[in-house]
Amino acid sequence: MRPTSETPASNSPRRYISWYWFPTIGSVVWIGTLLGLLITWTADGSPIYESMSSGQTIAYISDIGADYLKPLFITGSSITSVCFVLSLFGARWLRHRGRILPNTSMTQRVFSVISIIGAVVGSVGLILLAIFDTRRHTTLHRTFLAVFCGGVLVSALGTVLEYWRLERNHHKTSRALTISMWTKLVFFVVEFALAIAFGILLRNKQNNAGAIVEWVLGILFTGYLLSFNFDLLPAARSYTGQFKDVELTRPVSSYY
């Protein structure tokens, strides 16, 4: 892989905004929002909010977010949602431009589009569940919570499948891609299992256990979002078309 005469690395324009900023900002804002909610609830003496069920002593994220910290919850959810979508769109765009390892088949591109659509759906769900809080709009809140979880899981599955097929092309030339693929696969499996457990606990009114699982899900989402920083970081110093000449492990035709 070397610069061509038309697009030498030395002539690449200086970039003041890079795509990897979005997963970084999103993950920092999201974990900051969660910590702000949790620390405030603890500092207030772990109060029992109006939205909490009888016998429940551990607050859900949404219980705290439905009280006077609702503006923080809405703001944090909105910024995180936008950054999540832009992270996936950025990966699609940079692969198309050859600034990170490009897709080599239509199947990979389809999985990429599915992951973006899932992210958009999940992000809309996250914003709306923060607006329609669990205290005033319980049914709507739970509906949008399901939309958020479903959208993120579909997005994660699309990303894992895209990276799996892409990694088969490049596993000899990009160890980073292999690590990223396995990281996202582990996230998908764990989040899927926890989402099922959360649904069962919520249905059976095991609210304290359900609240703990919800907090774990929220924290894990931070790590998933941050993993895209690892994928997009090479584009900070690459130029258009730089990765299009990378030697493939197999012929492209074997991946359609």
Side-chain angles (χ1 to χ4, degrees):
M1 180 181 9
R2 61 182 183 277
T4 64
S5 58
E6 292 79 14
T7 56
S10 59
N11 290 338
S12 298
R14 179 175 296 179
R15 302 184 184 97
Y16 296 96
I17 298 178
S18 295
W19 285 100
Y20 76 87
W21 286 17
F22 294 113
T24 303
I25 293 171
S27 58
V28 170
V29 168
W30 182 242
I31 194 64
T33 300
L34 294 182
L35 289 176
L37 295 173
L38 183 60
I39 291 172
T40 300
W41 176 68
T42 304
D44 285 346
S46 304
I48 304 300
Y49 295 111
E50 181 182 335
S51 59
M52 295 171 67
S53 303
S54 176
Q56 181 185 347
T57 57
I58 302 176
Y60 285 101
I61 296 172
S62 50
D63 288 324
I64 307 172
D67 208 72
Y68 66 91
L69 289 180
K70 183 173 179 176
L72 170 65
F73 191 33
I74 293 176
T75 302
S77 298
S78 299
I79 294 174
T80 301
S81 296
V82 171
C83 289
F84 180 38
V85 172
L86 289 176
S87 297
L88 288 162
F89 177 79
R92 173 85 282 276
W93 174 250
L94 293 171
R95 293 197 194 286
H96 173 71
R97 298 284 289 174
R99 287 179 51 196
I100 58 177
L101 290 172
N103 294 126
T104 55
S105 73
M106 182 57 68
T107 301
Q108 293 172 17
R109 296 184 183 93
V110 169
F111 286 141
S112 177
V113 172
I114 289 173
S115 70
I116 294 173
I117 293 173
V120 171
V121 172
S123 295
V124 170
L126 178 58
I127 295 171
L128 291 177
L129 73 84
I131 295 173
F132 295 96
D133 62 77
T134 188
R135 186 176 70 180
R136 302 172 184 84
H137 311 278
T138 304
T139 301
L140 276 176
H141 176 82
R142 292 188 176 183
T143 299
F144 292 131
L145 177 61
V147 171
F148 168 60
C149 292
V152 170
L153 287 172
V154 168
S155 178
L157 180 60
T159 300
V160 168
L161 292 174
E162 178 199 3
Y163 280 43
W164 169 61
R165 297 185 69 89
L166 187 63
E167 191 270 346
R168 293 172 66 195
N169 286 27
H170 297 292
H171 74 270
K172 289 185 179 180
T173 57
S174 179
R175 186 169 180 268
L177 181 62
T178 302
I179 295 173
S180 180
M181 182 199 71
W182 283 107
T183 299
K184 290 174 174 59
L185 177 59
V186 169
F187 167 84
F188 172 77
V189 172
V190 173
E191 287 277 294
F192 184 69
L194 288 176
I196 293 176
F198 176 71
I200 294 173
L201 291 170
L202 194 64
R203 183 182 181 87
N204 293 332
K205 302 186 185 303
Q206 299 294 319
N207 291 301
N208 284 330
I212 293 172
V213 171
E214 186 187 48
W215 282 101
V216 172
L217 282 167
I219 293 170
L220 285 176
F221 181 65
T222 305
Y224 177 65
L225 183 55
L226 189 60
S227 73
F228 286 96
N229 179 292
F230 192 62
D231 303 324
L232 303 178
L233 192 58
R237 296 185 177 181
S238 67
Y239 55 88
T240 300
Q242 180 175 347
F243 287 90
K244 288 189 175 181
D245 295 329
V246 173
E247 183 178 355
L248 301 179
T249 303
R250 293 183 183 180
V252 175
S253 59
S254 65
Y255 296 96
Y256 282 86

